[in-house]
């Protein structure tokens, strides 16, 4: 079944209403067995114990970038 889903994804035939369920929210608690399962979040695999609690953290990632004029100088120097 997983290979079939991957094939549909490659060819752009994966549909949310038929092939998977998309759940959105800021705080989601999933109560399901087994007690421990590998979970993948943001591309990182981790062994987690049930229940699985996912929270959206507002402003959790801060980026630091050079000012626009410094970025242009950097490109010109390269």
């Amino acid at each position: 079944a997983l290979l079939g889903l991957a094939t549909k994804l490659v060819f752009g035939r994966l549909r949310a209403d038929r092939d998977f369920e998309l759940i959105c929210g800021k705080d989601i608690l999933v109560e399901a067995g087994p007690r421990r399962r590998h979970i993948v979040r943001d591309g990182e695999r981790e062994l987690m114990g049930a229940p699985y609690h996912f929270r959206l953290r507002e402003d959790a990632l801060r980026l630091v970038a050079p000012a626009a004029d410094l970025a242009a100088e950097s490109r010109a120097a390269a």
Side-chain angles (χ1 to χ4, degrees), residues 4-24:
L5 286 174
T7 303
K8 286 180 182 181
L9 178 63
V10 168
F11 291 106
R13 296 185 183 154
L14 203 60
R15 287 188 16 210
D17 59 337
R18 178 190 64 204
D19 298 312
F20 62 92
E21 185 177 356
L22 179 62
I23 300 171
C24 299

Side-chain angles (χ1 to χ4, degrees), residues 4-76:
L5 286 174
T7 303
K8 286 180 182 181
L9 178 63
V10 168
F11 291 106
R13 296 185 183 154
L14 203 60
R15 287 188 16 210
D17 59 337
R18 178 190 64 204
D19 298 312
F20 62 92
E21 185 177 356
L22 179 62
I23 300 171
C24 299
K26 292 185 178 184
D27 195 354
I28 298 174
L29 181 66
V30 179
E31 295 177 342
R35 301 300 287 159
R36 293 177 65 79
R37 178 173 279 197
H38 281 99
I39 304 293
V40 178
R41 296 179 295 161
D42 297 328
E44 299 293 326
R45 186 174 173 215
E46 174 184 352
L47 188 61
M48 289 180 65
Y52 310 106
H53 191 193
F54 302 94
R55 283 180 291 158
L56 175 66
R57 293 185 181 174
E58 299 290 336
D59 299 322
L61 178 63
R62 298 201 183 266
L63 299 177
V64 178
D69 57 337
L70 293 177
E73 287 176 21
S74 229
R75 284 192 301 271

